[in-house]
Every structure is written in structure tokens, then in C-alpha cells.
Amino acid sequence: MASIPTSRIASIDLIRGAVMVLMAIDHVRVYSGVPPGGPTPGIFFTRWVTHFCAPAFVFLAGTSAFLYGRRHRDLSRFLVTRGLWLVLLELTVIRVAWTFNLDFDEYLLAGVIWMIGWCMVLMAGLVRLPLPAVGGLGLAIIALHNAVMPPLLPLLPATLRKVLYTAFAEDPIGPLMVLYSIIPWIGVMAAGYAFGQVLTLVPARRDRLCSTIGLVSIALFVVLRGFNLYGDPRPWSAAGPMPAALAFLSTTKYPASFSFLLMTLGPTIALIPPLERARGALAGWIALFGRVPFFFYVLHIPLIHALALGVSQVRLGGVSPWLFANHPMGNPPPPEGYTWSLGLLYLVWGVAVVLLYFACRWFAGLKARRSDPWLSYL
């Protein structure tokens, strides 16, 4: 199959940029006291729309690794060093940004950056395999983990079980709260790595494959989820307390079920062809975030946290001590009278995104002007 140069693929920047913007909604929600999903459509979709973030970002991290490997010969070394760097930042800088406290003995969070870091370390070995083997292994993990992992869990030591799969469904490992397990996310990254080959094809072939993969994934989700055949440990029911449409979309994220990944990755891949043709100010604005996604990530948490302190001062006449507790999973419930309205949540989100635009524009300009090796780690 013919291929084309892949210096920069516009749709990847647009998807990563959109992921960053949507992700910020959920992280504002953490400090707003609004629950993670709920029976009302407003609260439900405030959380649900952000479900696309982790799958898209992890999948495209694998794709970016493939494209990096086409231009550099040190891919395995880069993946190991960058992966360990991400784990270190998660347990230090990002942990402090979430909490604004230094109570490391009581609380550490193994969040999405931790998971991406360890998956990169594992990918450093996987990329030495033939590309079809990497892609096949990734797809097998995505599709089969709901059937294979549960009977294996009793055979694993507790710590390994939590890190690999059960995560925060079980007690923390000492102070370490594991939010994102390695499985199935290593499968998502491996599949994304193999998908990089698709993006090197000539545009017409690439677009047909992306549309086919995306639409088939969506159809498979509708069939498997609709008839409760396979793919999620929590069957949905139209007779439950939640409206039927919301129950249908309420798939399991921790660990990410096959249905969850079909629901999120299918539309993401299907959108690649139209996003390749997207132009205009809005597309450029979103793509800017996608060119410096990790810089956005590191900066957005302390910014949102600081904005929440300001909101608390204005609304309550003082800064709530709750905002210095352990976020986002180790908190007690917010104090009575603290929880924001959805309107306020989205207002703070909008302010944060505007402020982040100017910071990211500066950093993107810095990366364009300079080639210092350290810049590749942000």
C-alpha cells in the first residue's frame, strides 16, 4: 500500500486539542462538588462527554509513538525515559497540583499520567515486535479482557491485581490510590501504535479505512450493548432508576470495558477524515492545544484548582478547607452548601480554557523556535 510523509497530521492535533478542552470540564467538576454522573441529563452528560478523553489520548499516544519511530531510531529508549518521567511527575508535581497539600504519607494518586507512563515503558518492548503482532495483541486485550481477567484475578498477588486491573475498586496500596489500571490501556496504546500505519496511507485509502473502522466499532457497540451480549460487567436495563438512554450509555470506565472503548474510540476514529479537512479559527485554536497537550495538562490542574479557591472566596466568604483535601478520589463529600451549579461549572471551565490558550500559544511558539531536548518532555 502506498504511503505518504507524516511530518504532522492535522486530525491528531485537533483530536488531542479537543480531548484537552473536554478533559478540563471533568477536572473543574472535581472542584465543583458536582457528582461524577447522575440521573439528570445535565449532570450525566457533563461527565459522559469527558469519557472520550482517556481513550483518545492513550490511543493517539500509541499512534504518535509509531510516527516518532518513523523519524527516529531511538524509539524504545524514548518511550522508557518519557514513561518514567511521566510516572515521576504524576507522583510529585501533579499530585501537589491536585491537592495543594504535601501530605504524601496519606495520599498518592496513580492517575491517567501514571498509566500512560507505565504503558509507554511496556511499549518500549512491544515496539520491537512486528507491527501486526503489536496490533493483534492490542486488539486482543481490548476485546477479551472482560472475559479473561476476572477468573485470573484470584491467582494474582493483591498489589499486582490492583495495578494491573482492579485499581480503585479495591483498597489503596498504602497511600497509593490506583485510578487507572494497566489493563486494558496497554492494549489501547498498542492498537493505536499499529493504527499509525493507517495514517501513513494516501488520503483516500486512509479516510476509507478510518471511516470503516470507526463505524464498525460504533455498530458493534450498539449490538453488544443493546442486547447485553458481552463487553461490560454492568448490564443496562430500561426499567432501572436511570432513563433508558442514559443507562445504555453508562458503560464501565474503571477498568475500561470493551463496550466503553467501542463507544469512545469508534467515534474518535470515524471523525479523523472530516477533521483532516477542518479549517478556520476554531480548528486552529483547538489544534494549538493538541500541539502541546502535556504542557496543557500540567498547567490546567493548578489553574483550575486556583480558580476554585477564588470561587469559594466569593461564594462562601472564605476558602473551604475541602479544597485542600485529597483530590480527586480521596476526598470526603463536599461540605453542605458548597456544590456549584452547572452554569458556574461551565463558566469557570470557559475562563480556564481562555487563560490556557495564551499560555499554550507561548509554549508552542517556544517549541517552534528552539530544539532543546528537554522541550520534548513537555
Side-chain angles (χ1 to χ4, degrees):
M1 290 183 288
S3 63
I4 57 174
T6 54
S7 56
R8 193 146 203 114
I9 298 175
S11 56
I12 291 182
D13 286 339
L14 277 168
I15 292 172
R16 287 194 303 204
V19 161
M20 294 295 104
V21 172
L22 290 175
M23 175 192 63
I25 296 174
D26 195 47
H27 295 166
V28 174
R29 181 201 58 76
V30 167
Y31 295 104
S32 73
V34 172
T40 65
I43 293 176
F44 179 88
F45 283 107
T46 292
R47 173 66 168 168
W48 183 83
V49 73
T50 68
H51 284 337
F52 289 82
C53 298
F57 199 78
V58 175
F59 186 81
L60 292 180
T63 301
S64 296
F66 174 85
L67 299 176
Y68 179 94
R70 283 168 58 90
R71 303 188 302 272
H72 303 85
R73 305 180 71 175
D74 64 338
L75 176 58
S76 289
R77 175 179 169 276
F78 175 76
L79 288 170
V80 169
T81 55
R82 184 168 177 81
L84 294 177
W85 171 241
L86 294 181
V87 172
L88 176 64
L89 286 181
E90 177 79 273
L91 298 178
T92 55
V93 174
I94 297 172
R95 183 253 178 249
V96 173
W98 275 118
T99 63
F100 283 179
N101 72 53
L102 300 175
D103 190 15
F104 288 89
D105 290 340
E106 296 296 327
Y107 181 73
L108 291 170
L109 178 65
V112 67
I113 300 302
W114 152 286
M115 173 269 291
I116 291 173
W118 285 120
C119 286
M120 283 184 167
V121 171
L122 294 174
M123 283 297 299
L126 290 179
V127 297
R128 297 181 180 276
L129 299 175
L131 188 65
V134 179
L137 178 62
L139 292 176
I141 292 172
I142 291 170
L144 301 177
H145 77 90
N146 284 118
V148 172
M149 288 305 296
L152 292 180
L153 293 178
L155 306 177
L156 299 177
T159 297
L160 184 60
R161 184 173 66 234
K162 294 169 192 174
V163 170
L164 283 182
Y165 199 67
T166 58
F168 84 101
E170 295 194 66
D171 293 335
I173 304 168
L176 184 66
M177 174 69 72
V178 181
L179 182 58
Y180 282 86
S181 58
I182 301 301
I183 297 173
W185 295 107
I186 182 58
V188 175
M189 190 174 288
Y193 179 83
F195 179 77
Q197 182 68 52
V198 174
L199 295 187
T200 67
L201 303 176
V202 293
R205 175 69 170 155
R206 176 199 64 207
D207 290 353
R208 284 197 300 271
L209 279 173
C210 287
S211 297
T212 300
I213 293 169
L215 294 176
V216 167
S217 297
I218 294 169
L220 186 57
F221 163 70
V222 171
V223 172
L224 293 180
R225 183 66 170 163
F227 292 98
N228 282 324
L229 297 176
Y230 172 75
D232 201 282
R234 299 182 307 181
W236 73 285
S237 171
M242 185 179 291
L246 305 191
F248 177 77
L249 294 173
S250 185
T251 53
T252 301
K253 183 178 181 181
Y254 304 108
S257 69
F258 184 37
S259 291
F260 177 90
L261 294 172
L262 288 172
M263 178 183 74
T264 52
L265 287 175
T268 299
I269 295 170
L271 281 172
I272 288 176
L275 289 178
E276 274 296 306
R277 299 184 289 272
R279 299 293 184 270
L282 180 60
W285 182 66
I286 294 174
L288 172 68
F289 293 136
R291 289 197 291 273
V292 290
F294 190 58
F295 178 80
F296 180 107
Y297 189 94
V298 171
L299 193 59
H300 90 288
I301 298 172
L303 173 62
I304 290 171
H305 199 168
L307 289 173
L309 300 182
V311 170
S312 179
Q313 180 67 47
V314 171
R315 290 180 68 237
L316 305 177
V319 175
S320 172
W322 183 74
L323 290 170
F324 296 95
N326 291 324
H327 278 283
M329 300 303 300
N331 265 329
E336 185 175 353
Y338 174 88
T339 301
W340 303 358
S341 67
L342 285 180
L344 179 57
L345 187 160
Y346 281 99
L347 174 63
V348 173
W349 167 70
V351 170
V353 169
V354 170
L355 293 175
L356 287 162
Y357 171 79
F358 293 104
C360 290
R361 186 175 67 177
W362 166 81
F363 188 69
L366 179 66
K367 291 188 73 172
R369 295 190 303 271
R370 301 177 59 171
S371 57
D372 304 34
W374 68 268
L375 288 171
S376 66
Y377 288 86
L378 283 176

Short mmCIF file of all heavy atoms in Angstrom, two decimals, residues 1-4 6 9 59 63 66-67 70 131 191-211 213 269 272:
data_model
loop_
_atom_site.label_atom_id
_atom_site.label_comp_id
_atom_site.label_asym_id
_atom_site.label_seq_id
_atom_site.Cartn_x
_atom_site.Cartn_y
_atom_site.Cartn_z
N MET A 1 0.84 -1.19 0.00
CA MET A 1 0.00 0.00 0.00
C MET A 1 0.88 1.24 0.00
O MET A 1 1.85 1.33 0.75
CB MET A 1 -0.91 0.01 1.23
CG MET A 1 -1.99 -1.07 1.18
SD MET A 1 -3.13 -1.01 2.58
CE MET A 1 -2.07 -1.60 3.89
N ALA A 2 0.51 2.23 -0.80
CA ALA A 2 1.30 3.46 -0.87
C ALA A 2 1.18 4.24 0.42
O ALA A 2 0.16 4.22 1.10
CB ALA A 2 0.81 4.29 -2.05
N SER A 3 2.25 4.96 0.73
CA SER A 3 2.25 5.77 1.95
C SER A 3 2.65 7.18 1.62
O SER A 3 3.16 7.49 0.55
CB SER A 3 3.19 5.18 3.00
OG SER A 3 4.52 5.21 2.53
N ILE A 4 2.41 8.07 2.56
CA ILE A 4 2.70 9.48 2.39
C ILE A 4 3.55 9.94 3.55
O ILE A 4 3.59 9.31 4.60
CB ILE A 4 1.38 10.32 2.35
CG1 ILE A 4 0.57 10.08 3.63
CG2 ILE A 4 0.56 9.98 1.13
CD1 ILE A 4 -0.65 10.96 3.75
N THR A 6 4.65 11.85 6.90
CA THR A 6 3.82 12.11 8.09
C THR A 6 4.54 13.06 9.03
O THR A 6 4.80 12.74 10.18
CB THR A 6 3.51 10.79 8.81
OG1 THR A 6 4.75 10.13 9.09
CG2 THR A 6 2.63 9.88 7.99
N ILE A 9 0.12 15.42 11.30
CA ILE A 9 -1.21 15.04 10.83
C ILE A 9 -2.22 15.91 11.57
O ILE A 9 -2.33 15.87 12.79
CB ILE A 9 -1.47 13.55 11.05
CG1 ILE A 9 -0.45 12.74 10.23
CG2 ILE A 9 -2.88 13.18 10.65
CD1 ILE A 9 -0.52 11.25 10.46
N PHE A 59 -4.84 6.11 22.90
CA PHE A 59 -4.77 5.55 21.55
C PHE A 59 -3.82 6.38 20.68
O PHE A 59 -2.94 5.83 20.00
CB PHE A 59 -6.17 5.53 20.95
CG PHE A 59 -6.28 4.84 19.62
CD1 PHE A 59 -6.36 3.46 19.54
CD2 PHE A 59 -6.32 5.58 18.44
CE1 PHE A 59 -6.48 2.82 18.31
CE2 PHE A 59 -6.43 4.95 17.21
CZ PHE A 59 -6.51 3.57 17.14
N THR A 63 -0.23 6.02 18.53
CA THR A 63 -0.05 6.47 17.15
C THR A 63 1.15 7.40 17.04
O THR A 63 1.96 7.29 16.10
CB THR A 63 -1.32 7.17 16.67
OG1 THR A 63 -2.42 6.26 16.76
CG2 THR A 63 -1.18 7.64 15.24
N PHE A 66 4.35 5.54 17.03
CA PHE A 66 4.64 4.96 15.72
C PHE A 66 5.24 6.00 14.78
O PHE A 66 6.25 5.74 14.10
CB PHE A 66 3.36 4.39 15.11
CG PHE A 66 3.52 3.90 13.70
CD1 PHE A 66 3.99 2.63 13.44
CD2 PHE A 66 3.22 4.74 12.62
CE1 PHE A 66 4.16 2.18 12.13
CE2 PHE A 66 3.39 4.29 11.32
CZ PHE A 66 3.86 3.02 11.07
N LEU A 67 4.63 7.18 14.75
CA LEU A 67 5.13 8.23 13.86
C LEU A 67 6.50 8.72 14.30
O LEU A 67 7.35 9.04 13.45
CB LEU A 67 4.12 9.39 13.82
CG LEU A 67 2.72 9.01 13.29
CD1 LEU A 67 1.78 10.21 13.39
CD2 LEU A 67 2.80 8.51 11.85
N ARG A 70 9.17 6.40 13.01
CA ARG A 70 9.48 6.54 11.59
C ARG A 70 10.56 7.58 11.34
O ARG A 70 11.24 7.55 10.31
CB ARG A 70 8.22 6.92 10.80
CG ARG A 70 7.27 5.76 10.57
CD ARG A 70 5.92 6.26 10.06
NE ARG A 70 6.03 7.02 8.84
CZ ARG A 70 5.96 6.51 7.60
NH1 ARG A 70 5.83 5.21 7.45
NH2 ARG A 70 6.03 7.30 6.54
N LEU A 131 4.85 -5.25 13.48
CA LEU A 131 3.68 -4.37 13.67
C LEU A 131 2.37 -5.15 13.76
O LEU A 131 1.54 -4.84 14.62
CB LEU A 131 3.63 -3.35 12.53
CG LEU A 131 2.58 -2.25 12.67
CD1 LEU A 131 2.90 -1.37 13.88
CD2 LEU A 131 2.52 -1.40 11.40
N ALA A 191 -2.81 -0.87 20.14
CA ALA A 191 -3.67 -0.76 18.96
C ALA A 191 -3.46 0.58 18.27
O ALA A 191 -3.45 0.67 17.04
CB ALA A 191 -5.14 -0.93 19.36
N GLY A 192 -3.30 1.65 19.06
CA GLY A 192 -3.03 2.96 18.48
C GLY A 192 -1.70 2.99 17.74
O GLY A 192 -1.57 3.66 16.71
N TYR A 193 -0.72 2.27 18.28
CA TYR A 193 0.59 2.19 17.61
C TYR A 193 0.44 1.56 16.23
O TYR A 193 0.93 2.09 15.23
CB TYR A 193 1.54 1.38 18.48
CG TYR A 193 2.91 1.19 17.88
CD1 TYR A 193 3.89 2.18 18.01
CD2 TYR A 193 3.24 0.02 17.20
CE1 TYR A 193 5.15 2.00 17.45
CE2 TYR A 193 4.50 -0.16 16.65
CZ TYR A 193 5.44 0.83 16.78
OH TYR A 193 6.69 0.67 16.23
N ALA A 194 -0.26 0.46 16.16
CA ALA A 194 -0.46 -0.20 14.86
C ALA A 194 -1.32 0.66 13.94
O ALA A 194 -1.12 0.68 12.71
CB ALA A 194 -1.11 -1.57 15.07
N PHE A 195 -2.26 1.40 14.51
CA PHE A 195 -3.12 2.28 13.71
C PHE A 195 -2.30 3.37 13.02
O PHE A 195 -2.73 3.92 12.00
CB PHE A 195 -4.18 2.89 14.62
CG PHE A 195 -5.12 3.85 13.92
CD1 PHE A 195 -6.15 3.36 13.13
CD2 PHE A 195 -4.98 5.21 14.06
CE1 PHE A 195 -7.02 4.22 12.49
CE2 PHE A 195 -5.85 6.10 13.43
CZ PHE A 195 -6.88 5.60 12.64
N GLY A 196 -1.14 3.70 13.57
CA GLY A 196 -0.30 4.70 12.93
C GLY A 196 -0.01 4.38 11.48
O GLY A 196 0.13 5.28 10.65
N GLN A 197 0.07 3.07 11.15
CA GLN A 197 0.31 2.68 9.75
C GLN A 197 -0.82 3.17 8.85
O GLN A 197 -0.59 3.56 7.70
CB GLN A 197 0.46 1.17 9.67
CG GLN A 197 0.75 0.64 8.27
CD GLN A 197 2.14 1.05 7.79
OE1 GLN A 197 3.13 0.82 8.49
NE2 GLN A 197 2.21 1.67 6.63
N VAL A 198 -2.05 3.14 9.37
CA VAL A 198 -3.20 3.60 8.58
C VAL A 198 -3.03 5.07 8.21
O VAL A 198 -3.35 5.50 7.08
CB VAL A 198 -4.51 3.37 9.36
CG1 VAL A 198 -5.70 3.99 8.62
CG2 VAL A 198 -4.74 1.89 9.59
N LEU A 199 -2.53 5.87 9.14
CA LEU A 199 -2.42 7.30 8.90
C LEU A 199 -1.31 7.64 7.92
O LEU A 199 -1.22 8.80 7.48
CB LEU A 199 -2.20 8.03 10.22
CG LEU A 199 -3.36 7.96 11.22
CD1 LEU A 199 -3.09 8.86 12.42
CD2 LEU A 199 -4.69 8.33 10.57
N THR A 200 -0.46 6.70 7.58
CA THR A 200 0.59 6.97 6.59
C THR A 200 0.14 6.65 5.17
O THR A 200 0.89 6.88 4.22
CB THR A 200 1.85 6.14 6.90
OG1 THR A 200 1.58 4.75 6.70
CG2 THR A 200 2.32 6.37 8.33
N LEU A 201 -1.07 6.13 5.01
CA LEU A 201 -1.56 5.78 3.67
C LEU A 201 -1.97 7.04 2.92
O LEU A 201 -2.18 8.10 3.50
CB LEU A 201 -2.75 4.82 3.79
CG LEU A 201 -2.49 3.51 4.54
CD1 LEU A 201 -3.78 2.71 4.65
CD2 LEU A 201 -1.40 2.69 3.86
N VAL A 202 -2.13 6.89 1.61
CA VAL A 202 -2.61 8.03 0.81
C VAL A 202 -3.99 8.43 1.34
O VAL A 202 -4.75 7.59 1.84
CB VAL A 202 -2.67 7.65 -0.68
CG1 VAL A 202 -1.27 7.42 -1.23
CG2 VAL A 202 -3.54 6.42 -0.90
N PRO A 203 -4.34 9.72 1.24
CA PRO A 203 -5.56 10.21 1.91
C PRO A 203 -6.84 9.43 1.62
O PRO A 203 -7.61 9.15 2.54
CB PRO A 203 -5.65 11.66 1.42
CG PRO A 203 -4.23 12.05 1.17
CD PRO A 203 -3.57 10.81 0.64
N ALA A 204 -7.09 9.07 0.37
CA ALA A 204 -8.34 8.38 0.06
C ALA A 204 -8.42 7.04 0.77
O ALA A 204 -9.46 6.68 1.35
CB ALA A 204 -8.48 8.20 -1.45
N ARG A 205 -7.33 6.28 0.73
CA ARG A 205 -7.30 4.98 1.40
C ARG A 205 -7.39 5.15 2.91
O ARG A 205 -8.11 4.41 3.59
CB ARG A 205 -5.99 4.27 1.01
CG ARG A 205 -5.74 2.94 1.70
CD ARG A 205 -6.70 1.89 1.27
NE ARG A 205 -6.30 0.58 1.74
CZ ARG A 205 -7.13 -0.43 1.94
NH1 ARG A 205 -8.41 -0.29 1.68
NH2 ARG A 205 -6.68 -1.60 2.36
N ARG A 206 -6.66 6.10 3.44
CA ARG A 206 -6.69 6.37 4.88
C ARG A 206 -8.10 6.71 5.34
O ARG A 206 -8.59 6.19 6.35
CB ARG A 206 -5.75 7.54 5.19
CG ARG A 206 -5.73 7.99 6.64
CD ARG A 206 -5.15 9.39 6.73
NE ARG A 206 -6.00 10.35 6.04
CZ ARG A 206 -5.55 11.50 5.52
NH1 ARG A 206 -4.27 11.80 5.55
NH2 ARG A 206 -6.40 12.33 4.92
N ASP A 207 -8.76 7.59 4.61
CA ASP A 207 -10.09 8.03 5.03
C ASP A 207 -11.10 6.89 4.99
O ASP A 207 -11.95 6.77 5.88
CB ASP A 207 -10.56 9.19 4.15
CG ASP A 207 -9.79 10.47 4.40
OD1 ASP A 207 -8.98 10.50 5.35
OD2 ASP A 207 -10.00 11.45 3.65
N ARG A 208 -11.02 6.04 3.96
CA ARG A 208 -11.94 4.90 3.89
C ARG A 208 -11.73 3.96 5.07
O ARG A 208 -12.71 3.48 5.68
CB ARG A 208 -11.75 4.15 2.57
CG ARG A 208 -12.34 4.83 1.36
CD ARG A 208 -12.47 3.87 0.19
NE ARG A 208 -11.19 3.31 -0.20
CZ ARG A 208 -10.36 3.86 -1.10
NH1 ARG A 208 -10.69 5.00 -1.68
NH2 ARG A 208 -9.23 3.27 -1.41
N LEU A 209 -10.49 3.68 5.39
CA LEU A 209 -10.22 2.77 6.50
C LEU A 209 -10.66 3.37 7.83
O LEU A 209 -11.24 2.68 8.67
CB LEU A 209 -8.73 2.43 6.54
CG LEU A 209 -8.27 1.34 5.57
CD1 LEU A 209 -6.74 1.21 5.60
CD2 LEU A 209 -8.92 0.00 5.91
N CYS A 210 -10.40 4.64 8.04
CA CYS A 210 -10.82 5.28 9.29
C CYS A 210 -12.33 5.25 9.43
O CYS A 210 -12.87 4.94 10.50
CB CYS A 210 -10.31 6.72 9.35
SG CYS A 210 -8.53 6.88 9.64
N SER A 211 -13.03 5.57 8.36
CA SER A 211 -14.50 5.55 8.41
C SER A 211 -15.02 4.15 8.68
O SER A 211 -15.93 3.95 9.50
CB SER A 211 -15.08 6.08 7.10
OG SER A 211 -14.72 7.43 6.89
N ILE A 213 -13.39 1.52 10.13
CA ILE A 213 -13.05 1.08 11.50
C ILE A 213 -13.96 1.77 12.51
O ILE A 213 -14.50 1.14 13.43
CB ILE A 213 -11.57 1.39 11.80
CG1 ILE A 213 -10.66 0.53 10.93
CG2 ILE A 213 -11.27 1.14 13.28
CD1 ILE A 213 -9.20 0.95 10.96
N ILE A 269 -12.21 7.62 15.89
CA ILE A 269 -11.57 7.21 14.63
C ILE A 269 -12.41 7.65 13.43
O ILE A 269 -11.86 8.10 12.41
CB ILE A 269 -11.33 5.69 14.64
CG1 ILE A 269 -10.34 5.32 15.74
CG2 ILE A 269 -10.83 5.21 13.28
CD1 ILE A 269 -10.21 3.84 16.01
N ILE A 272 -11.75 11.21 12.12
CA ILE A 272 -10.46 11.62 11.56
C ILE A 272 -10.58 12.18 10.14
O ILE A 272 -10.01 13.24 9.84
CB ILE A 272 -9.47 10.44 11.63
CG1 ILE A 272 -9.04 10.21 13.09
CG2 ILE A 272 -8.24 10.70 10.75
CD1 ILE A 272 -8.14 9.02 13.30
#
